[in-house]
Amino acid sequence: GIFAQSDWEIFRKLTLLSGLRADQHNFVNSVIINPRVSLLYKPDENSQLRLSWSTGFRAPQAFDTDLHIAFAGGGIQTVTLAENLKKEKSQSLSTSLNWDKPTEMHIYGLTLEGFYTRLEDAFILEEVGKDEDGNSLLEKRNGGMSHVYGATFEARANYNRLLQIEGGITIQRSRHSEPVAW
């Protein structure tokens, strides 16, 4: 793969970050181009607002988290790739508001972020049978469109570089456009 990125200060308070990534993968027949762009606005010295759009892909593969999930059930499951399996493509939007207040003795801050990702040709696993020992045979297939969205809230504080406390919560929802049987 190759990646190019440019960071442009449009105004003193507004920055545009753009990038382009090109990848060649041995399981995909063509070069995959993934653009991304981000706007960063700093209304004052303590705050920043970011809006981002990016694209991505995941090539067909069987040696990933699917195998860890398969083994977690206690049995043996074999994962194979469907003959016509296409790459999974994504488009993501995110926005975040970051606020930090430093003083001589401490710093504290908050971050609020919202995100949305649309997956095209999302990978799914379907059971296609059992082998002669009764172990499950799974096939990775393309399952259509999926959507992942949610929000994150984080808070942090640091006292005189002696004590640091951080916490956060993410609320997320993931949905397939078409029902998937597991």
Side-chain angles (χ1 to χ4, degrees), residues 30-84:
S30 59
V31 174
I32 301 125
I33 305 293
N34 285 304
R36 59 193 64 197
V37 65
S38 177
L39 275 172
L40 176 64
Y41 175 61
K42 296 181 181 179
D44 57 52
E45 64 183 25
N46 297 328
S47 306
Q48 63 181 31
L49 178 64
R50 183 180 306 271
L51 178 63
S52 300
W53 171 78
S54 61
T55 62
F57 82 100
R58 187 165 68 150
Q61 58 186 4
F63 297 102
D64 59 9
T65 55
D66 296 331
L67 295 179
H68 300 292
I69 292 168
F71 291 132
I76 297 174
Q77 296 177 319
T78 302
V79 177
T80 58
L81 302 180
E83 193 171 312
N84 59 350

Side-chain angles (χ1 to χ4, degrees), residues 1 8 19 21 26 34-35 38 42 58-59 63 65 69 81 83 94 101 103 113 133 135 138 143 145:
W8 300 328
R21 182 178 173 108
N26 61 332
N34 285 304
S38 177
K42 296 181 181 179
R58 187 165 68 150
F63 297 102
T65 55
I69 292 168
L81 302 180
E83 193 171 312
S94 69
K101 179 67 175 168
T103 67
E113 178 182 11
D133 296 323
N135 299 315
L138 302 175
M145 190 86 67

Side-chain angles (χ1 to χ4, degrees), residues 104-131:
E104 195 170 305
M105 295 293 289
H106 61 272
I107 184 171
Y108 52 92
L110 304 169
T111 300
L112 180 61
E113 178 182 11
F115 56 90
Y116 170 80
T117 299
R118 183 182 78 195
L119 298 169
E120 297 175 39
D121 299 319
F123 295 149
I124 61 170
L125 288 175
E126 290 193 13
E127 191 165 359
V128 293
K130 297 197 179 289
D131 66 12

